[in-house]
Every structure is written in C-alpha cells, then in structure tokens.
Amino acid sequence: MSRIVSGLRRQPVILLAGLVLVVVLVGGVVSRGTAVAQDQPLDYSHQTHIAAGMDCLFCHSSATRSQIAGVPSVQKCMGCHETITPESESMQTLQGYWERQEPIPWERVNKQPDFVYFSHQPHVNSGLACENCHGDVSSMDQAQKSVEMDMGWCLDCHAQQDEAIAPHLWDCVVCHQ
Amino acid sequence: MTTRLSDNPTTRLSDHRWGMAIDLDKCTGCQACVVSCHAENNVPIVGEEEAAYGRTAHWLRIERYWEGEYPNVKAKFMPVMCQQCTEAPCEAVCPVYATYHSDEGLNGQIYNRCIGTRFCGSACPYKQRMYNWFDPVFPEPLEQQLNPDVTVRSRGIMEKCTFCVQRIRRVKEDAKAEGREVTDGEIQPACAQSCPTNAIVFGDLNDPESRVSQMARSSRAFRLLENLGTEPGVVYLKGGETRV
C-alpha cells in the first residue's frame, strides 16, 4: 500500500494530466449530440401547437423565401391567443410582452458561426422536410438541438443527394462567407 | 502542373465564369468604389499610424499616375482589386487550402481555414491581399452598418476582394427559387453598383452576349501584368487622357 502511495506521489503531474485528459474526452463524447433544453422566457410547447394541427411554416413563415426561418412576432401569437386560452399563466406572460410592446427574448437553439452561410430557402423549397435537420420537434415540448450542425453533417447529407438537386458542396464559397 | 478541383471530371463544370471589365476612360478616380467596398465587405479602418507602416486595409485601391509638369499635368486612374486569376499564384502557396479556385472562376478565400502564413500575400503580383495585423476596429458609427452577410475577419487572417461573392450567391439563389437563369447585369458588386460613370461592369465571361464579354473583346482591352500568365478575370480597357 505504502509503495503504491509513494509511487503516486512520484507521479502527481502525470496522474493529473491523465485525469484531465479523461475528463476532456468523456466530456466531449457526452456533450456531443446531447439535447439540452435551454431556459426560454415563455413556457411554449411545440408539441401542443403541432398536435393542434399547425404547420411549422405558419409561424416560421420566412423559411420558404429567406435565409432565416423566422420567429413569429408577438402580434402573430396574439392573433390566436386573444381568444385561445387567454387566462393561462403563460398567456398572461405573453399579454405582458404585448402590452409593453416588447419582442419575446427567445434563446436561440441552433446557432451557426459568423463565417457560415446557410439559407432555409433552397432547402425547404427543394422539398426537404423540417424534421430532417431539426429532429422530431412535434414530440418536443421545448425545442431542443437534435443534432450538432457541423460541416461534416452538411457534407454527408449533400453527398448522398442527386447532384442535379443539391450541390455536393466541394465549392467552399457556397457555404463560407 | 497542379491539379485543380475543377479539373476533376466527376465534378460538373459551371456555366458561369464571373469577370469584370473596367473602362479606364470612364474612371474619374472619385473613390466611390473604395468607400462602397469598405461598407459592403466590413473592411476595417486601420488609422493613420498603421497606414504609415504600410498596413493599409483596402480590398480595392485607386492607382494614380501623374504625367507631365504643371500646368500641363495629366492624371490617370486605375482601380485595382483582386484580379481573380485563373492561374493564381496565391492558391498554389497556401499550405491549408484556405484560398482555392472555384469553377465559376472565383478565387475563394475561406477565412476560418486561414492560419495567417501570409504566403499568398507574398505571392500575389498585384499586392491585393490584406493581412489583419490587429483585431478589426470600426469606429463609431461604422459599427452600425456592418454587413451581416460578410464575416468580420479577426486578427491573423488574410483577406481580399471576393467579387462580392455574397451578392453572387444571393442572386443565384433568388434566380433558382424563381426557376430562371441569372440575367446579365443582375449581379452587381458594390464597386460596380456605386460607380457614378459605370466604368466597372461585372458579368459572365462565358456568355458571349454579356456586357462584360463585349467589353473584353474591345481593341482597348488588356489585363494587368499580362506577361505573368496569371490570366486575370479582370479586364481593363485602355484609357486615353484625363486632364485635371
């Protein structure tokens, strides 16, 4: 026992370095692709809305004609919720934003770095369904990141497509700006 | 002989070859193109002191030539930007493929790949590559007008004129969404758009009817440092004399 302890004493730096390495590796594996729900300012459920028969594009209506899919305005929320469940707690919060004429400060779920160009328009218009990239949002209460949207993920999917429909993305300036 | 991606037979060659023609007879040296280029592409301002060290930051500069003695002075102006060379000396020397040739004739610069060796800047015979020695500064109120379609390059990154690739991309996507081809004159880089005399014309050199192709066939046409064999995508039309 004493031999082991003294052995450990001789190698504290190596031991510490090994420990750090293990933590980094395990942390990297665990954090990758893990859905972590973020704190949102309003208790909003995607599941409830989609179950009620709503289409993604009703709220995210810019997706067919713009880079960004868009987050609906408070006015759009109020368009329905002036009459639908106006008494509930989260609707009271919504009412507060409406009266103060403030936008809801949603936390962004999927982020792309500054140097990446991505546009929803060509993807949605070529018939790609939202869940191909965003996962099954219809079963999520709160929207969560379902996949790590990195370059390899983009390239993998594009490589499987017919080149007449989707470019194979070997040209860097298609996505890098 | 280097092998380029566009030599690969499995990849489709593009229908386009983007090019630019600049009529030096029309250029008055007003520098509107320089200003609009700064605004469009988030080109930082280095300030007087850094400029004195030769660290000026422009993607487009106006070369000015004085000829003769006062009062019979002639001024000649020449806007010089990245020449988007077909045989680009900068591409061959980049150790990380941060600069490469697209099959549309663009000399692409991928900022997040760049490690800042500055080899490309040394290789460029036109001195049209700019290195970020410091983190970019946009003094008030310039930070209010940063273009969201263009990255702000950080310290240690090489940058240069991209032919406003973000505008090319946007027009191509819009045309595709409307199910049509890109029409001539639809894509305008910031410099061409802001030129008050329309001296700068941008377009597709593969389309023989485009304005840029017609200008490139002019008897006045020449390319900068043609003897180097870089085959630039920018064509100049020889100017006569501008008296000031």
Side-chain angles (χ1 to χ4, degrees):
Chain A
M1 185 68 191
S2 64
R3 269 178 63 200
I4 295 169
V5 171
S6 63
L8 288 176
R9 271 188 197 140
R10 273 189 225 118
Q11 310 287 346
V13 178
I14 293 172
L15 198 72
L16 195 68
L19 197 68
V20 168
L21 191 71
V22 167
V23 168
V24 167
L25 288 177
V26 170
V29 170
V30 169
S31 69
R32 206 185 144 79
T34 310
V36 180
Q38 284 163 302
D39 283 335
Q40 296 291 358
L42 196 68
D43 194 14
Y44 171 84
S45 167
H46 277 88
Q47 193 178 15
T48 310
H49 285 77
I50 294 170
M54 283 173 68
D55 189 69
C56 307
L57 292 173
F58 181 78
C59 292
H60 303 291
S61 54
S62 303
T64 54
R65 55 192 159 84
S66 163
Q67 263 170 267
I68 53 162
V71 173
S73 61
V74 179
Q75 190 178 22
K76 194 159 215 169
C77 304
M78 288 301 289
C80 296
H81 283 286
E82 243 180 342
T83 50
I84 301 171
T85 64
E87 302 307 318
S88 74
E89 194 184 323
S90 46
M91 285 317 109
Q92 293 299 313
T93 318
L94 177 69
Q95 187 76 34
Y97 286 114
W98 176 242
E99 279 161 11
R100 293 192 300 276
Q101 295 285 297
E102 281 176 13
I104 306 168
W106 298 108
E107 283 295 324
R108 208 181 171 88
V109 177
N110 290 301
K111 296 189 192 82
Q112 282 298 338
D114 190 33
F115 51 77
V116 173
Y117 172 83
F118 170 81
S119 176
H120 279 84
Q121 184 189 29
H123 290 87
V124 177
N125 288 346
S126 64
L128 193 68
C130 306
E131 52 265 34
N132 279 311
C133 301
H134 293 286
D136 187 12
V137 180
S138 66
S139 66
M140 294 178 199
D141 233 3
Q142 205 179 76
Q144 290 170 11
K145 192 200 274 192
S146 63
V147 63
E148 195 63 48
M149 294 177 176
D150 55 20
M151 185 170 143
W153 177 74
C154 296
L155 294 181
D156 280 350
C157 186
H158 271 262
Q160 291 162 17
Q161 309 304 317
D162 178 4
E163 217 186 345
I165 301 166
H168 281 186
L169 298 186
W170 58 264
D171 192 0
C172 316
V173 293
V174 173
C175 310
H176 285 282
Q177 61 180 16
Chain B
M1 182 74 190
T2 53
T3 308
R4 293 194 307 271
L5 274 171
S6 52
D7 293 332
N8 186 343
T10 61
T11 54
R12 273 186 319 161
L13 276 178
S14 166
D15 305 332
H16 306 292
R17 197 293 183 223
W18 304 119
M20 187 177 272
I22 303 173
D23 190 339
L24 298 179
D25 246 352
K26 289 183 178 174
C27 177
T28 62
C30 73
Q31 311 236 17
C33 50
V34 178
V35 175
S36 63
C37 176
H38 266 265
E40 169 72 17
N41 293 300
N42 300 339
V43 182
I45 310 294
V46 297
E48 210 172 324
E49 196 181 323
E50 292 303 320
Y53 284 114
R55 296 167 183 170
T56 48
H58 306 293
W59 283 10
L60 166 57
R61 63 172 193 261
I62 304 284
E63 291 284 357
R64 186 189 60 189
Y65 302 97
W66 291 114
E67 284 176 11
E69 292 290 324
Y70 182 83
N72 293 315
V73 178
K74 294 167 194 165
K76 289 180 179 175
F77 303 106
M78 181 182 226
V80 182
M81 67 288 284
C82 168
Q83 303 288 304
Q84 310 284 344
C85 309
T86 309
E87 298 295 334
C90 56
E91 290 167 9
V93 296
C94 181
V96 292
Y97 301 102
T99 184
Y100 78 103
H101 214 72
S102 89
D103 69 351
E104 296 191 346
L106 295 177
N107 174 238
Q109 177 74 16
I110 307 304
Y111 304 121
N112 57 312
R113 271 199 90 92
C114 178
I115 56 170
T117 62
R118 295 183 282 128
F119 292 166
C120 55
S122 306
C124 176
Y126 306 102
K127 292 285 160 254
Q128 247 344 104
R129 285 177 160 270
M130 189 201 111
Y131 186 68
N132 285 284
W133 292 95
F134 301 99
D135 274 322
V137 178
F138 296 93
E140 236 179 308
L142 291 178
E143 88 287 0
Q144 299 284 332
Q145 60 96 59
L146 287 173
N147 185 352
D149 293 338
V150 181
T151 322
V152 173
R153 285 76 56 186
S154 55
R155 191 180 67 170
I157 302 293
M158 192 58 104
E159 60 181 69
K160 60 158 199 91
C161 160
T162 62
F163 266 0
C164 285
V165 66
Q166 67 279 7
R167 292 185 175 211
I168 299 174
R169 195 192 288 127
R170 178 68 58 86
V171 171
K172 274 169 65 187
E173 273 185 10
D174 285 350
K176 196 179 172 188
E178 291 164 23
R180 58 175 178 82
E181 293 292 314
V182 175
T183 56
D184 186 34
E186 201 179 356
I187 303 174
Q188 275 197 317
C191 54
Q193 188 185 15
S194 61
C195 181
T197 60
N198 290 327
I200 304 176
V201 172
F202 182 83
D204 187 356
L205 287 169
N206 276 359
D207 172 9
E209 296 308 310
S210 68
R211 271 187 73 202
V212 69
S213 292
Q214 290 176 23
M215 286 171 79
R217 287 196 295 270
S218 160
S219 57
R220 293 194 287 136
F222 73 98
R223 286 168 162 85
L224 206 52
L225 303 180
E226 214 157 350
N227 55 330
L228 295 180
T230 52
E231 296 176 42
V234 180
V235 181
Y236 290 93
L237 267 59
K238 209 172 282 180
E241 295 166 355
T242 309
R243 254 172 219 286
V244 288

